[in-house]
Amino acid sequence: MLDMPTRTAALYGRVRKVVPPMEWAAFSADIDAILDLKEKRDAVILAHNYQTPEIFHCVADIVGDSLALARKAVEAEAEVIVLAGVHFMAETAKLLNPEKTVLIPDTGAGCSLADSITAEDVRLMRARYPGVPVVTYVNTSAAVKAESDICCTSGNARQVVESLGVPRVIMLPDEYLAQNIAAETDVEIIAWKGHCEVHERFTPTDIRELREAHPGVSVLAHPECPPEVVAEADFAGSTAAMSDYVGQAKPRRVVLMTECSMSDNVAVHHPEVEFIRPCNLCPHMKRITLGNIRTALEENRYAVEIDPQVAGRARQAVERMLAI
Ligand code: 13P
Ligand code: SF4
């Protein structure tokens, strides 16, 4: 193992363009402690693309969008999984690893989409549209997943909808994601009225103003943005798809219409690309910090538990998605 100063110095090299030295001084002790705790506890840290760079680039073992985190959770060999992300992501990891300890460092890390719908709502939708299959975004509770036929993420939503081979599906709970997918497929989509509190705030006017202020800028939008925003963007895709787009198209300047940490995390790999940064913070993602990741590992908290009555059916919906 490297001695501490060398270890943290090497890590700082990764993020120095996006983390000022003053901030790093406050992070390095927690980073050292977390690296040791991971070894001691046989733990891996899965981090979503919206986690801050000191988490994403310095302590995470696996990073990605919701789909990648779900896939990698299945392969995780460690005894303990720490989910640096929001609660539904930790629940998904637990569904796929019922025997393992899955920790979420702050149980208040929720999601406005997950909060927009209950299991009872899904049952009412089924009663209203008998026989129409229910496709549920992973940004939902395990109880909602348990009432669903199959899950999807922003990275595979169209594929999942079309895999069912039916003319009509119910797609819950993100109204904008549903509308954006409806624009790409012949399958009729019945939506719910849930919204992401981060992406619903972007407007087409934002994009027009950005194009005027930054000529030649490539505009990438997450499909949780309203359809009129997606229509004005150059590309729409999941957080992983946006990151891949930057790597492949190598735009001279780019704006990511999504959560703020995305630009920081992607910029680390592409110093030649200019990132224009109007963005919106997700208050839920930002509840996860180095400090509470460290405490999670030190005190084994907060372990995710799922009602066994719910877990079996919810797991099926996630596994059906992963099988596609
Ligand atoms: P991705 O699956 O694209 O990473 O999105 C998750 C999310 O919460 C976006 O707001
Ligand atoms: Fe939920 Fe939106 Fe935050 Fe993603 S960005 S976790 S969808 S509130």
Side-chain angles (χ1 to χ4, degrees), residues 48 50 66 85-89 109-115 137 139 174 195-200 222 224 239 258-259 280-286:
H48 184 260
Y50 293 163
S66 316
V86 291
H87 194 260
F88 75 81
M89 295 175 178
C111 170
S112 64
L113 281 168
D115 287 346
Y137 198 29
N139 298 39
D174 188 345
H195 298 136
C196 162
E197 67 188 84
V198 174
H199 292 95
E200 70 177 350
H222 194 277
E224 289 170 9
T239 55
T258 190
E259 213 276 341
N280 292 324
L281 277 173
C282 174
H284 311 289
M285 288 280 179
K286 268 35 215 190

Side-chain angles (χ1 to χ4, degrees), residues 97-305:
N97 288 281
E99 308 305 329
K100 292 192 173 154
T101 299
V102 176
L103 303 175
I104 176 93
D106 185 326
T107 49
C111 170
S112 64
L113 281 168
D115 287 346
S116 73
I117 191 159
T118 64
E120 178 58 16
D121 292 330
V122 186
R123 290 193 286 271
L124 289 170
M125 286 297 272
R126 279 200 189 276
R128 192 159 163 203
Y129 300 100
V132 180
V134 175
V135 177
T136 292
Y137 198 29
V138 284
N139 298 39
T140 46
S141 65
V144 165
K145 289 184 177 77
E147 299 297 329
S148 313
D149 294 288
I150 187 164
C151 287
C152 74
T153 73
S154 60
N156 63 12
R158 177 179 174 185
Q159 221 187 336
V160 168
V161 163
E162 294 183 347
S163 76
L164 299 174
V166 293
R168 208 153 73 128
V169 303
I170 298 169
M171 194 172 165
L172 309 169
D174 188 345
E175 182 181 31
Y176 297 147
L177 178 69
Q179 289 171 343
N180 286 323
I181 299 302
E184 295 176 1
T185 179
D186 292 335
V187 179
E188 186 194 337
I189 296 185
I190 301 160
W192 185 252
K193 282 254 179 252
H195 298 136
C196 162
E197 67 188 84
V198 174
H199 292 95
E200 70 177 350
R201 287 166 27 216
F202 293 109
T203 68
T205 310
D206 294 337
I207 299 187
R208 282 176 223 142
E209 287 174 358
L210 280 162
R211 290 198 195 278
E212 221 174 285
H214 306 279
V217 69
S218 292
V219 179
L220 318 190
H222 194 277
E224 289 170 9
C225 291
E228 20 344 325
V229 170
V230 167
E232 296 228 5
D234 299 303
F235 174 81
S238 76
T239 55
M242 284 193 266
S243 177
D244 291 347
Y245 182 98
V246 174
Q248 280 155 24
K250 297 222 186 302
R252 190 167 55 85
R253 42 170 60 154
V254 69
V255 60
L256 309 180
M257 311 296 280
T258 190
E259 213 276 341
C260 300
S261 292
M262 260 298 282
S263 288
D264 287 342
N265 289 332
V266 181
V268 164
H269 296 300
H270 303 288
E272 72 290 1
V273 177
E274 181 191 359
F275 286 79
I276 313 291
R277 291 167 198 256
C279 59
N280 292 324
L281 277 173
C282 174
H284 311 289
M285 288 280 179
K286 268 35 215 190
R287 291 181 85 115
I288 308 301
T289 62
L290 287 173
N292 59 25
I293 291 174
R294 179 178 177 171
T295 312
L297 284 164
E298 281 168 347
E299 299 182 12
N300 204 42
R301 71 184 203 195
Y302 297 92
V304 176
E305 297 301 341

Side-chain angles (χ1 to χ4, degrees), residues 52-69:
T52 47
E54 67 280 5
I55 295 174
F56 189 90
H57 289 288
C58 301
V59 298
D61 300 285
I62 292 162
V63 295
D65 64 357
S66 316
L67 182 59
L69 295 184

